[in-house]
């Protein structure tokens, strides 16, 4: 009895290892080529504004109340994102085009990511990073595969926050699962 039980456990172990190996292979197929490669861009110095609206001449200035540590900061009022790395340094900042439904101000974890799909507006998108919902509308960052960032159709409830393809790639590489996203006004 003990012998056949050992064989059963060994069989389950082999099957589990095979499944994990298969999943790892699939995950590696979706990893961007640039992941893990050194980035040539220098970090902008971090400063904090006193209010939620940014100094338009200094977009690297983080909004007040945007937290500390590694995080994505999204300003609803400025339609701008900051990718903030270790040492509280801005690695990248860029403008975005919001959907028609904004996330509420607060701190959220990245809840899911999808390499490519069709956006809620019917546009093929890539590098989808979801982090919130509001009124049943899922909210996340994405880049249109055609590179467009048109104003959204205000007759629809859309939670997609569009970014350029280059910014979408940077977001995808930075905002992995459970990464903190801080939304400010």
């Amino acid at each position: 009895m003990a012998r056949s039980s050992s064989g059963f456990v060994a069989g389950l172990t082999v099957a589990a290892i095979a499944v994990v190996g298969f999943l790892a292979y699939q995950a590696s197929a979706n990893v961007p080529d640039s992941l893990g490669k050194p980035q040539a861009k220098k970090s902008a110095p971090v400063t904090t504004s006193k209010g939620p609206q940014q100094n338009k001449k200094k977009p690297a200035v983080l909004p007040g109340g945007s937290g500390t540590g590694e995080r994505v900061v999204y300003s609803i009022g400025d339609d701008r994102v900051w990718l903030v790395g270790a040492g509280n340094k801005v690695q990248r900042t860029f403008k975005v085009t919001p959907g028609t439904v904004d996330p509420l101000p607060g701190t959220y974890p990245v809840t899911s990511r999808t390499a490519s799909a069709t956006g809620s507006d019917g546009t093929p998108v890539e590098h989808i990073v979801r982090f919130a919902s509001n009124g049943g509308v899922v909210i996340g960052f994405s880049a249109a595969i055609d590179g467009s960032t048109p104003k959204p159709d205000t007759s629809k409830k859309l939670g997609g926050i569009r970014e350029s393809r280059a910014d979408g790639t940077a977001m995808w590489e930075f905002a992995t699962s459970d990464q903190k996203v801080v939304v400010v006004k």
Side-chain angles (χ1 to χ4, degrees), residues 95-109:
K95 294 291 279 179
V96 295
T97 302
T100 59
V101 177
D102 287 327
L104 297 173
T107 301
Y108 304 88

Side-chain angles (χ1 to χ4, degrees), residues 105-149:
T107 301
Y108 304 88
V110 169
T111 55
S112 68
R113 295 165 24 106
T114 303
S116 63
T118 300
S120 54
D121 62 354
T123 302
V125 294
E126 65 183 356
H127 299 143
I128 304 150
V129 176
R130 297 174 199 88
F131 64 93
S133 66
N134 186 357
V137 177
V138 176
I139 299 171
F141 302 103
S142 65
I145 291 175
D146 68 5
S148 66
T149 57

Side-chain angles (χ1 to χ4, degrees), residues 100 152-158:
T100 59
D153 179 351
T154 57
S155 69
K156 298 178 181 177
K157 292 185 177 187
L158 304 171

